[in-house]
Amino acid sequence: MADFESIAKQFVEYYYKTFDENRNNLAPLYRDESMLTFEATPCQGTSAIVSKLSELPFQRIEHQVATIDAQPSNTTGGIIVVVSGALLVEEERRPMSYTQTFQLMPNDQGSYFVFNDVFRLVYPAA
Amino acid sequence: MPASTMAARSQSPRDAPRGPAASRRRGGARSDRDGDLKMDIAVKGRGRIGKSSSAPSSSRDPASRTSRGEARGGMLSGTARRAILRQAAAGDVSMREPKPTNSRGGLVELSITGWEKSKASGNADGGVSSLIGWLEKKASHRLGSRTRDVKVKKSRKEGSAVIISVPSEHVGALIRMNGYEWAGTNVTIERLGGSKNSSVEVKSQAEETKAMLRGVLERRYNADTKVLDLSALGQDEELNKANVFDKNSTTRKIFPALMRVLEFSFDTEAERHAAVTGVSLANNGLIDLADVTSLSQTLPKLQNLDLSSNNFKGLSSLQNWRKRFSQLQHLVLSNNPLEQAEPEYPAEVVKWYPTLRFLNNVQVRTEEEATQKAAPTDLPFPIRTPNFQDEGGIAEGFVRTFFAGFDTDRAALAAHYYDNLSDFSFAVNTQAPRDPEATQATEKQEWDQYIKSSRNLKKISQPQARQNRHFRGPKAVADAFATLPKTKHPDLATEARKWMVEAHIQPGVPDPTGQSASGVDGFMITVHGEFDELDATTGQAGKKRSFDRTFIIGPGGPSGVRVVNDLLTLRAYGGAQSYDPDNFEGWNANATAARTSDATPDPAVPQLPAGLTIEMAEQMVAELQKQTNMTIQYAKDCLEQVGWDFQKGLEAFANVKGNLPGEAFVGGA
């Protein structure tokens, strides 16, 4: 069993790789009780979350993760993960800064799903 | 994770329509029924901090869990508090059951009574269709803005009741309207069959407790002076007669429950503050504020406070309230040991409360001085976004106290909010883009003071190195805080635009009392903002930084709130444009515009001029409604058209009132 820090790091790498390749493939990471708050817009449930992400007004995106930090967050193996980094959208070369907080919960298969996901741009598009 | 937990998440109290009912509910003379209070508690309590995330466990007598000689102010008193609250709010119990007995296919049946004598009773159907139309419309709106689409799926008459079936997600919005006035009569709205389930015994017991507490509040409230006299609670005959509390520690247990009942007696904080401007806690034998600290959350804008004839030995025992009560005008501390122990205390107290006019009935500031000082604090808290779920001001109070404490006394802050299982860590993002105006030049080694403990898991891979940068417990947290440069954060009230704060109900937070294995409800709070570093010797503002901070908070600790997780990200100053609504629209605006058919509109936020809070707007609408008898919708439309100038609104009304349709007036539909 990996330690929570390694899990957090692996999760973050997998999440953004998938997001940047084809964000529709993020669906298995969410569940019906999952909650995403994307730039103040809340959505709940896998389908709502994935449609929210797929409707974002860009085709090409690249996440550049700058920091990852994580802590165990509850008695049932949950992990809270905080990421900060930059986004490059379409052909724009000026990065946008963002932070994202994930609350990961263990699922029955010895893996994790995203229970809560709060995304914020913290620096505007130029 | 029970399904109901998620229901609680989506049922933010801010989603619920809040009728500006101040005009009907001022003072203690609220024309409520028992069910009103009960249901308020049931709904509001759903997201309450400290509530068990698992099946209800509150059926036991709270007294049986409370050992007598327990240390005051510690976790056990938190246990007692929660036990009492659970009991006081046990309307909650049945709501938390994953499958309500009366839920069919996602529909929940509600019973509406008290509607028969309405002005619409002359209608062919006795007013039923009109009633249902009103229920749908009213539950769909908040401050006149349509925020949801509530539909009554089925309805039938059963004796004097109308039974309606609504989707479970709208139950909260409807039950919040219990006791509202419709067409000249107050209607009662409650769950059908709620009392037939297994928790009937608990409920009736809880009902008794609540009724008793409400009785205590009513008896001790003076509507003329607006003072709530909570002095000498230990000698209260009714409380003693009720015999539900251990007499040796009455205040400790009963006080939070009283505050809870007080909160649930009003729809909004504004109503509460209009009704109660003064509180006396005299003669309660208090040695510190641990038992009564919830007062500052329930009534943060209190003007008059009497703490005389207690057992406060020094100002340190009042420290918890130092930054609270931003509008305090009169404070009485006489007849406490601190008078002898710290005779110079008045000067310090006057500093604590910039709006204070009288201390121990001696004038300490003139009206002008106090008003001058008061001006900035009247401004709003920046977090009134659709994504700020709060309960009783807990999350808001935490954010306010936390950042003030982080700037002034981090050691005290760590002792206040962190316990042996609290985690803190931080990471420095050295690559973050800078402020576009480049007011903060890059310097070499500018992160030196931070980098030694920066726990960026991307860079720190050795388990021991990670461990060393993970601070657990008040001592380690305080030590880590002490290594960080001194800070000054912008004022939350006056510089709201420099902050972005969101809060979400967070289920499954560890319960320090161990009563609930699957945890209790707390909050996840995300804060984005900036601070100035202060020079350690001169105190001069130095470099400006931006930060992001995520907290998970839960119940426990001496203050009733403990930090479970605290993760801080530090980065170069990047400005606040990304969360300033005037400068940056973000992706949502684009995305919304790009979509042609939008099935899930974003939560509607009323368009208000700068400086006008939702609460202020609600008060204006309520007042205009009261003076004109127009409906909320018309009153709000009217104010919108005149740019929220109340006087102009009245004039506009006078000009057009002859032409307004019947539906523009309350009960005139």
Side-chain angles (χ1 to χ4, degrees):
Chain A
M1 187 65 191
D3 57 283
F4 71 89
E5 288 109 332
S6 309
I7 293 167
K9 192 160 173 253
Q10 281 166 21
F11 166 80
V12 169
E13 283 161 4
Y14 177 76
Y15 183 91
Y16 292 118
K17 184 169 175 285
T18 310
F19 196 114
D20 295 352
E21 282 170 8
N22 180 356
R23 50 192 188 266
N24 290 313
N25 294 343
L26 290 170
L29 290 175
Y30 295 93
R31 282 192 178 182
D32 285 344
E33 66 261 41
S34 300
M35 182 104 169
L36 166 71
T37 307
F38 189 91
E39 284 284 286
T41 303
C43 20
Q44 189 179 325
T46 309
S47 60
I49 290 171
V50 173
S51 19
K52 172 75 198 171
L53 295 177
S54 64
E55 281 169 13
L56 293 173
F58 47 75
Q59 296 302 314
R60 216 185 67 77
I61 183 163
E62 183 189 337
H63 287 81
Q64 296 173 339
V65 174
T67 69
I68 306 169
D69 196 0
Q71 293 174 1
S73 73
N74 64 13
T75 46
T76 51
I79 303 172
I80 182 156
V81 184
V82 174
V83 180
S84 74
L87 287 169
L88 292 169
V89 171
E90 308 294 10
E91 301 309 315
E92 175 64 59
R93 287 339 283 169
R94 277 170 298 186
M96 288 185 279
S97 201
Y98 75 95
T99 66
Q100 193 160 9
T101 299
F102 299 97
Q103 168 81 44
L104 303 183
M105 298 288 233
N107 63 18
D108 307 333
Q109 289 89 50
S111 172
Y112 289 80
F113 71 97
V114 180
F115 179 66
N116 205 350
D117 177 348
V118 183
F119 176 94
R120 266 282 171 194
L121 285 177
V122 291
Y123 182 79
Chain B
M1 196 65 53
S4 57
T5 305
M6 293 311 302
R9 282 154 59 86
S10 59
Q11 197 62 57
S12 149
R14 293 202 56 81
D15 293 339
R18 296 196 296 175
S23 54
R24 306 192 287 281
R25 291 185 180 171
R26 268 176 311 172
R30 181 181 178 185
S31 62
D32 65 357
R33 280 143 235 250
D34 188 56
D36 192 352
L37 188 63
K38 173 186 74 182
M39 284 308 176
D40 277 1
I41 287 177
V43 173
K44 288 185 125 181
R46 298 184 78 190
R48 190 185 71 233
I49 191 166
K51 178 165 36 61
S52 167
S53 292
S54 65
S57 62
S58 53
S59 53
R60 276 177 290 156
D61 177 31
S64 68
R65 278 202 223 128
T66 315
S67 65
R68 304 267 149 145
E70 67 195 31
R72 59 169 301 148
M75 273 175 195
L76 284 172
S77 88
T79 312
R81 255 197 312 268
R82 274 188 302 283
I84 290 298
L85 287 183
R86 281 206 192 102
Q87 192 191 28
D92 195 18
V93 170
S94 60
M95 308 270 303
R96 296 289 297 179
E97 284 172 4
K99 286 197 172 132
T101 50
N102 58 355
S103 164
R104 290 190 197 119
L107 291 183
V108 175
E109 290 187 327
L110 302 176
S111 150
I112 322 291
T113 49
W115 55 276
E116 284 177 303
K117 296 201 180 87
S118 80
K119 290 181 191 159
S121 59
N123 296 3
D125 63 354
V128 173
S129 58
S130 174
L131 170 69
I132 288 171
W134 171 78
L135 287 169
E136 289 180 332
K137 190 172 167 197
K138 185 104 180 163
S140 300
H141 285 75
R142 183 170 180 282
L143 189 66
S145 291
R146 202 166 180 88
T147 54
R148 59 172 82 214
D149 199 17
V150 175
K151 283 277 177 238
V152 172
K153 301 292 185 190
K154 278 183 265 178
S155 66
R156 64 177 193 275
K157 266 180 78 175
E158 230 174 63
S160 62
V162 171
I163 310 297
I164 60 171
S165 302
V166 294
S168 54
E169 68 265 27
H170 294 149
V171 168
L174 283 155
I175 283 180
R176 286 284 288 150
M177 291 159 58
N178 180 31
Y180 274 33
E181 189 180 321
W182 170 69
T185 181
N186 289 65
V187 294
T188 301
I189 304 170
E190 52 202 355
R191 269 179 184 253
L192 186 66
S195 60
K196 286 177 195 151
N197 64 33
S198 58
S199 59
V200 59
E201 212 172 313
V202 180
K203 284 189 74 172
S204 61
Q205 197 188 351
E207 287 309 308
E208 267 175 40
T209 309
K210 269 181 291 178
M212 186 271 291
L213 293 175
R214 197 176 53 233
V216 169
L217 287 175
E218 280 171 9
R219 184 164 44 78
R220 287 168 167 267
Y221 175 68
N222 183 329
D224 296 327
T225 59
K226 298 186 174 180
V227 168
L228 183 60
D229 179 0
L230 299 177
S231 61
L233 287 173
Q235 279 91 59
D236 190 291
E237 279 185 24
E238 201 177 339
L239 290 177
N240 286 327
K241 204 170 62 191
N243 203 26
V244 285
F245 303 109
D246 174 359
K247 282 179 191 160
N248 296 328
S249 52
T250 300
T251 313
R252 176 196 314 170
K253 289 181 226 163
I254 198 157
F255 196 82
L258 275 172
M259 288 299 104
R260 205 76 190 148
V261 172
L262 180 67
E263 282 181 22
F264 293 131
S265 300
F266 298 96
D267 270 6
T268 64
E269 200 179 299
E271 278 180 43
R272 206 153 71 219
H273 281 115
V276 185
T277 59
V279 168
S280 170
L281 288 170
N283 281 304
N284 276 308
L286 300 172
I287 60 167
D288 58 34
L289 299 168
D291 296 345
V292 296
T293 191
S294 48
L295 178 70
S296 67
Q297 286 155 9
T298 305
L299 292 167
K301 293 177 188 157
L302 198 65
Q303 292 167 21
N304 308 317
L305 177 61
D306 184 351
L307 293 172
S308 62
S309 303
N310 279 295
N311 205 12
F312 297 115
K313 296 197 167 58
L315 277 185
S316 59
S317 49
L318 298 170
Q319 186 72 20
N320 268 4
W321 281 354
R322 181 181 172 170
K323 298 276 176 182
R324 309 293 175 89
F325 303 119
S326 61
Q327 298 177 19
L328 194 65
Q329 297 181 14
H330 295 228
L331 176 65
V332 184
L333 282 168
S334 50
N335 202 17
N336 275 293
L338 74 86
E339 283 185 306
Q340 287 77 45
E342 297 173 13
E344 70 292 355
Y345 81 93
E348 185 63 21
V349 169
V350 170
K351 272 193 254 169
W352 285 11
Y353 301 108
T355 60
L356 198 69
R357 291 157 169 75
F358 292 89
L359 177 63
N360 303 334
N361 295 313
V362 175
Q363 184 155 16
V364 294
R365 267 195 199 96
T366 64
E367 285 299 304
E368 295 77 50
E369 286 169 338
T371 316
Q372 247 176 352
K373 298 250 185 189
T377 56
D378 284 345
L379 288 161
F381 193 62
I383 55 180
R384 299 283 180 185
T385 74
N387 297 296
F388 197 82
Q389 300 180 343
D390 203 351
E391 288 289 339
I394 293 170
E396 177 176 335
F398 171 80
V399 173
R400 282 185 189 284
T401 312
F402 186 90
F403 288 100
F406 198 79
D407 286 348
T408 52
D409 190 346
R410 292 182 196 161
L413 184 75
H416 189 68
Y417 281 129
Y418 296 75
D419 66 17
N420 291 335
L421 295 172
S422 303
D423 288 324
F424 167 69
S425 55
F426 68 91
V428 178
N429 179 348
T430 55
Q431 304 157 22
R434 275 155 209 281
D435 175 30
E437 283 149 33
T439 51
Q440 301 286 319
T442 317
E443 294 163 28
K444 278 186 182 167
Q445 276 92 44
E446 65 166 299
W447 293 105
D448 267 7
Q449 276 187 275
Y450 300 87
I451 211 78
K452 280 195 302 289
S453 295
S454 171
R455 188 174 187 269
N456 180 357
L457 298 178
K458 219 184 146 188
K459 299 191 169 161
I460 309 288
S461 53
Q462 293 302 316
Q464 190 57 48
R466 287 175 170 177
Q467 185 69 34
N468 292 344
R469 290 163 175 79
H470 184 171
F471 309 104
R472 173 169 286 192
K475 172 80 168 61
V477 170
D479 290 349
F481 281 178
T483 66
L484 299 174
K486 286 202 183 313
T487 52
K488 181 164 189 340
H489 290 80
D491 189 79
L492 273 160
T494 56
E495 298 177 89
R497 287 181 166 232
K498 296 181 175 172
W499 294 82
M500 170 58 70
V501 188
E502 293 176 76
H504 300 90
I505 303 287
Q506 172 80 24
V509 170
D511 178 4
T513 66
Q515 286 172 32
S516 175
S518 60
V520 292
D521 278 3
F523 295 97
M524 179 195 278
I525 304 175
T526 51
V527 184
H528 308 284
E530 64 190 65
F531 60 85
D532 288 321
E533 276 178 13
L534 300 186
D535 185 281
T537 45
T538 65
Q540 291 295 304
K543 207 160 186 61
K544 200 183 274 299
R545 313 271 194 196
S546 286
F547 74 93
D548 312 291
R549 199 158 188 164
T550 299
F551 299 97
I552 291 183
I553 62 171
S559 68
V561 173
R562 64 182 280 263
V563 168
V564 181
N565 298 100
D566 172 3
L567 297 104
L568 169 66
T569 306
L570 296 145
R571 54 193 163 83
Y573 177 66
Q577 295 93 322
S578 64
Y579 28 88
D580 185 336
D582 286 353
N583 288 334
F584 184 64
E585 291 190 316
W587 281 335
N588 284 316
N590 302 337
T592 308
R595 273 177 269 157
T596 44
S597 65
D598 189 352
T600 54
D602 296 343
V605 184
Q607 293 302 305
L608 300 174
L612 187 73
T613 63
I614 288 181
E615 281 68 24
M616 289 153 73
E618 278 184 341
Q619 280 178 20
M620 283 169 73
V621 171
E623 188 58 31
L624 188 64
Q625 191 218 4
K626 190 178 142 200
Q627 293 193 24
T628 63
N629 201 36
M630 280 195 291
T631 63
I632 297 292
Q633 178 71 59
Y634 272 83
K636 183 222 162 206
D637 288 349
C638 173
L639 284 166
E640 257 176 11
Q641 281 164 23
V642 298
W644 295 91
D645 180 327
F646 188 80
Q647 207 51 41
K648 283 189 189 157
L650 275 180
E651 287 164 20
F653 172 76
N655 289 335
V656 302
K657 65 179 172 187
N659 302 324
L660 288 174
E663 63 160 48
F665 296 95
V666 173

